Amino acid sequence: MIIRIPGQPGKDLCDSHLGVTRRDVLRVGGSGALGLSLGSLLQLQSAQANTKVPVGRGKAKSIILCYLQGGPSHLDLWDPKEGVPDNVKSSFSKISTKLPGVQFTELLPKLSQVIDKTTLIRSMSYTPNGLFNHTAAIYQMMTGYTTDKVSPSGQLEPPSPKDFPNFGSNIIRLKPANEPMLPFVMLPRPLQESNVVGKGGTAGFLGKAFDPYTLYPPGDDLDMKKMDKINVADLEMRADVYGGRMQRRARLLDTINAGMPAIDRAVKDYKLNEYYDQALTLISSGRARDAFSIEQESRETRDMYGRTTFGQSCLLARRLVEAGTRVVEVVWPKVANSDNHSWDVHTGLSARMKNQAGPMLDTGLSALINDLDDRGLLEETLVVAVGEFGRSPQRGVSTSGNGNSDDGRDHWPYCYTALMAGAGIKRGYVHGQSDKTASAPLVDPVHPGELLATIYESFGIAPETIVYNHLNQPRELVKAESVSKLFA
């Protein structure tokens, strides 16, 4: 049953044929009808599926994904090799870590001291099928599925309502947040390769109710002060909407319900009043708005994370899960295929990784792990850091049709590294091993789908749980099994 309140769409709703967006329904300062829409959104997000919880799983209450879009070089970060040809060996020196026998490069001195709190997967691997370039590989990593429309270059069509959902959308549908809080937040920029923006970052066929709340501050990717420009006006109550006025709107809903007993009986099992109350609480309590106020943090804490877009995004991610957000995706703050601190280092690898990307990752991710652990949040918060692939063992060769300088590495999906921590994942564990040139796994390869299956099981969600697509066809969350060795 659908109740429609006729009226003219707001002028700011550019694509009126798409209906009201998640951001629009949060603007409850404009009309009571939008409050009803947010209530419906929260009601939709409470849908539960019957899933079996594997023994020893289900400890995660939230997840922070640090998505290193662009594909970081594992050889130049956390899987360096000795005794290899000069065009394979990293130009960075090796350093010891807290784990005996495990070495990183000099780019990760801070992470080397927290690695004992994490699991390192040195055997991420898949065989590409149109997945040699970013967009297709990102879509696979985020959804667990490949798409039918992959060009030879790996480019895809823009996001579509027919897409498979981002894993975060599946999680908040099956495990809705317990607090009146935004369940899924993506920041500080969208997933992107060239002009394909947001592919793999939406709820797809689940519907817009499960899309992430996107926080993309103004400024280009080189602006390291972007997080100081956060604007969450759509979470604010308009100045002329006082508490009494909000309560009158709530009573109006009660009056409408009382006057329509047949409708009331028909929807009594859907707890509409409960979800409407949650919608009011989300806005009037200011919980979400306060969580975004990173200026409340001490100068020392903000410095610990690094005064960069990535570092401050990691700090904001901690604040969001602390306030009750279920899923936070911190997307590396540079478009996948670009220059400067992008991980897509076809040229200028040595300077870009040493002076830009390396320190940003090292400072922000190590601070996040330490801070969560110190606050007792790591027990129930899963942290994952991974890209869509690694980089070629040999510098200066082409594997994806791109040109590469002698100081550059091309795309390499056959072997790369991921990091996991918290929520029942082993501490101080290295899973898998790459061969002598980090070209392929020697043991225990892990497919991106298996990583997603492990994430689902950490929430107590069976990977084989069925969802229905836009054609009402049954589909598994992901066609893969979790990696049991990763759990403590």
Side-chain angles (χ1 to χ4, degrees), residues 5 13 82 157 233 397 405 428:
I5 299 178
L13 187 60
E82 287 287 353
E157 60 183 5
V397 301
S405 71

Side-chain angles (χ1 to χ4, degrees), residues 152-194:
S153 69
Q155 288 281 8
L156 302 183
E157 60 183 5
S160 163
K162 301 176 183 179
D163 286 345
F164 277 90
N166 181 285
F167 75 91
S169 300
N170 283 325
I171 289 174
I172 64 169
R173 184 180 70 89
L174 298 171
K175 297 286 183 179
N178 299 322
E179 305 287 349
M181 184 58 187
L182 296 168
F184 181 8
V185 178
M186 182 178 288
L187 70 149
R189 71 163 349 274
L191 301 164
Q192 181 177 351
E193 178 189 11
S194 298

Side-chain angles (χ1 to χ4, degrees), residues 266-411:
V267 300
K268 64 182 177 64
D269 293 334
Y270 293 92
K271 303 178 182 179
L272 292 182
N273 286 334
E274 175 185 335
Y275 297 114
Y276 185 76
D277 289 342
Q278 288 181 18
L280 290 177
T281 303
L282 173 63
I283 305 301
S284 61
S285 71
R287 185 185 188 99
R289 188 174 63 253
D290 291 344
F292 285 111
S293 301
I294 58 175
E295 69 273 7
Q296 295 179 9
E297 297 287 337
S298 68
R299 179 182 300 175
E300 292 76 18
T301 298
R302 296 195 68 180
D303 289 344
M304 178 178 71
Y305 277 85
R307 297 284 183 151
T308 65
T309 303
F310 177 73
Q312 297 303 293
S313 295
C314 288
L315 173 56
L316 182 52
R318 189 222 79 205
R319 290 182 60 85
L320 287 168
V321 300
E322 205 168 24
T325 294
R326 185 74 80 198
V327 180
V328 183
E329 292 185 13
V330 177
V331 178
W332 188 257
K334 196 75 171 75
V335 61
N337 57 329
S338 60
D339 54 7
N340 289 290
H341 58 273
S342 166
W343 293 112
D344 197 28
V345 286
H346 294 282
T347 62
L349 182 154
S350 299
R352 289 166 57 185
M353 290 190 69
K354 183 174 183 177
N355 301 325
Q356 296 175 312
M360 289 167 56
L361 173 65
D362 186 49
T363 301
L365 184 56
S366 62
L368 176 64
I369 294 168
N370 269 331
D371 201 9
L372 288 171
D373 199 33
D374 291 345
R375 293 168 182 267
L377 295 171
L378 198 57
E379 289 295 316
E380 297 178 335
T381 304
L382 182 66
V383 177
V384 180
V386 67
E388 59 268 30
F389 39 57
R391 312 302 297 188
S392 60
Q394 294 186 53
R395 296 191 303 273
V397 301
S398 178
T399 62
S400 64
N402 288 286
N404 298 270
S405 71
D406 290 340
D407 187 26
R409 299 185 192 267
D410 211 331
H411 307 168

